[in-house]
């Protein structure tokens, strides 16, 4: 069902409570290390200001577990947003209660406040109806722009929808549109690139995506489990033996559907996951018993590149190697560079994969880099997200 957005609501003069994902990396002195998540919400905030709404922002930050933690106050976030917007963003010391209600009642059109960290209240994560109700007293309309938190059934994500009209913000709209586009008539050929640390985290995506794509390219740590399933020795690379059955099932399904799965033909191996380690390139049938897989090799990069160049749609989740260590990052960087140059729809999901693409400075060259780590994985697995489920839709 198509979801309603802020464009479908009359927001002028209204108190609009906007759930955003301002869960930014911040040091103990309140210095924000990366403000991507703040910037991602700007379209919604600007729209609401331009349309003369009274904007009440709310977010969680970190894991304070239902108690006030002085290091996790949202004040530094309000300051940064204020700098970006060249406009006052008033940080409040609480999220609910008479004091907050009073401040909100005196807001003028176009003004912005930021409520205190929602997770200072135990009712947020337990989805307590009392907490949702108290939040709802602050507003006339509730907007969810926190795609990255929408896989969690928390009070500010699902509970509020019981009490207020509930529509999508513009970031939420973009995330839903871009991620859904992969499954609704994608241009073909359509490739999925899968990697990352563990098969266990990705099996849901593989199961879902295998019936939608034409080819699957597998690298990263999960490649080891697939290779072992094919009978290769993978040295001391971690292998998820309890996932072998699932791997077999996926391979059988791929065969039935005529979807080709490409595994690495060569690999970079090292004796440990450290930058001081000596690396070597080895063929897949020649992995030394005392070494572990840390990246895909040059032949594999070449083969993956050739396949990707034929594609019109690519979904990517999971780095090809331990990209955090520069000498193990070549596979991930090469694949990211190929995607950046491709004349195709390229959609990136997963927190670490997005981080890698950002690190290589290629975000703007992709069709879409999802802001939702876990949420994007759940979406790609074909599961509904509780926060999206409760958004009002068109009949
Ligand atoms: P995402 O967050 O994008 O879903 P994951 O969290 O599943 O991705 O995977 C990212 C992690 O996988 C990275 O920290 C990376 O170092 C690790 N990784 C990639 N390849 C390997 C490998 N061959 N061995 C061990 N870890 C790997
Ligand atoms: Mg990750």
């Amino acid at each position: 069902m198509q979801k309603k957005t802020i464009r479908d609501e009359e927001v002028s003069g209204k108190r609009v409570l906007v759930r955003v994902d301002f869960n930014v990396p911040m040091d103990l002195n309140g210095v924000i290390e990366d403000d991507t998540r703040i910037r991602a919400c700007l379209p919604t905030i600007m729209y609401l200001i331009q349309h003369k709404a009274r904007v009440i922002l709310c977010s969680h930050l970190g894991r304070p577990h239902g108690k006030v933690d002085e290091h996790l106050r949202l004040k530094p976030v309000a300051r940064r947003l204020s700098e970006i917007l060249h406009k006052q963003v008033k940080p409040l010391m609480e999220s609910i209660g008479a004091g907050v209600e009073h401040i909100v009642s005196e807001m003028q059109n176009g003004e912005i406040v930021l409520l205190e960290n929602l997770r200072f209240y135990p009712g947020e994560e337990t989805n307590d109806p009392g907490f949702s109700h108290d939040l709802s007293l602050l507003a006339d309309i509730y907007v969810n722009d926190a795609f990255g938190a929408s896989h969690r059934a928390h009070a500010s994500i699902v509970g509020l929808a019981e009490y207020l009209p509930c529509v999508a913000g513009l970031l939420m709209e973009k995330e839903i549109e871009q991620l859904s586009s992969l499954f609704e008539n994608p241009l073909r050929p359509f490739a999925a690139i899968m990697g990352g640390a563990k098969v266990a985290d990705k099996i849901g995506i593989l199961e879902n995506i295998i019936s939608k794509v034409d080819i699957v390219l597998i690298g990263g740590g999960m490649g080891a489990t697939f290779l072992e399933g094919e009978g290769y020795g993978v040295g001391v690379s971690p292998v998820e033996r309890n996932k072998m059955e699932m791997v077999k099932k996926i391979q059988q399904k791929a065969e039935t559907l005529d979807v080709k799965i490409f595994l690495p033909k060569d690999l970079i191996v090292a004796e440990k996951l450290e930058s001081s380690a000596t690396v070597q390139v080895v063929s897949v049938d020649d992995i030394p018993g005392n070494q572990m897989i840390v990246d895909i090799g040059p032949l594999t990069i070449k083969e993956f590149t050739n396949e990707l160049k034929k594609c019109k749609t690519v979904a990517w989740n999971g780095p090809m190697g331990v990209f955090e260590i520069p000498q193990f990052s070549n596979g991930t960087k090469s694949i990211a560079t190929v995607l950046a140059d491709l004349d195709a729809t390229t959609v990136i999901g997963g927190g670490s994969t997005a981080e890698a693409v950002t690190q290589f400075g290629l975000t703007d060259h992709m069709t879409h880099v999802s802001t939702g780590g876990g949420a994007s994985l759940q979406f790609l697995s074909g599961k509904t997200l509780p926060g999206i489920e409760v958004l009002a839709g068109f009949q």
Side-chain angles (χ1 to χ4, degrees), residues 15 210 284 329 369:
R15 297 168 302 157
I210 200 91
V284 64
S329 67
V369 180

Side-chain angles (χ1 to χ4, degrees), residues 24 41 119 136 147 204 280 298 358 368 372:
V24 291
C41 295
R119 289 195 188 165
S136 75
F147 175 74
Q280 44 175 320
T358 308
H368 183 63

Side-chain angles (χ1 to χ4, degrees), residues 176-187 190 313 345 347:
I176 297 175
E177 264 177 22
Q178 294 290 343
L179 293 170
S180 316
S181 76
L182 291 174
F183 302 139
E184 290 158 11
N185 301 317
L187 290 177
F190 177 6
T313 306
T345 302
V347 178

Side-chain angles (χ1 to χ4, degrees), residues 98-246:
V100 182
E101 284 168 33
H102 178 70
I103 293 170
V104 166
S105 72
E106 300 210 315
M107 283 175 76
Q108 302 294 312
N109 293 352
E111 278 188 359
I112 310 174
V113 300
L114 173 59
L115 302 184
E116 188 50 280
N117 190 344
L118 294 167
R119 289 195 188 165
F120 285 180
Y121 299 81
E124 166 63 357
E125 288 181 81
T126 58
N127 192 16
D128 172 22
F131 185 60
S132 303
H133 180 256
D134 286 347
L135 281 171
S136 75
L137 295 176
L138 303 174
D140 305 303
I141 301 169
Y142 158 60
V143 173
N144 186 352
D145 212 25
F147 175 74
S150 289
H151 56 316
R152 312 226 182 265
H154 292 171
S156 68
I157 299 290
V158 299
L160 264 169
E162 288 287 320
Y163 303 103
L164 289 174
C166 158
V167 297
L170 302 180
L171 172 64
M172 172 69 90
E173 178 190 36
K174 183 169 152 213
E175 291 278 6
I176 297 175
E177 264 177 22
Q178 294 290 343
L179 293 170
S180 316
S181 76
L182 291 174
F183 302 139
E184 290 158 11
N185 301 317
L187 290 177
R188 296 187 177 278
F190 177 6
I193 311 171
M194 298 291 305
K198 290 196 281 178
V199 176
D201 296 344
K202 316 286 170 164
I203 211 87
I205 302 182
L206 268 168
E207 278 177 330
N208 183 43
I209 222 163
I210 200 91
S211 57
K212 323 263 196 259
V213 297
D214 303 296
I215 60 169
V216 182
L217 312 175
I218 295 182
M222 70 185 298
T225 300
F226 274 81
L227 289 174
E228 177 152 304
E230 296 283 297
Y232 293 104
V234 294
V236 290
S237 312
V239 169
E240 294 159 84
R241 296 216 162 69
N242 58 346
K243 291 286 169 289
M244 235 25 131
E245 279 292 301
M246 300 294 274

Side-chain angles (χ1 to χ4, degrees), residues 195-198 201-202 220-221 273 293-295 317-324 349-354 377:
K198 290 196 281 178
D201 296 344
K202 316 286 170 164
L273 285 184
I293 298 169
V294 295
D295 198 2
N317 170 248
M320 295 290 97
V322 185
F323 74 97
E324 297 91 338
S352 310
T353 318
L377 301 190

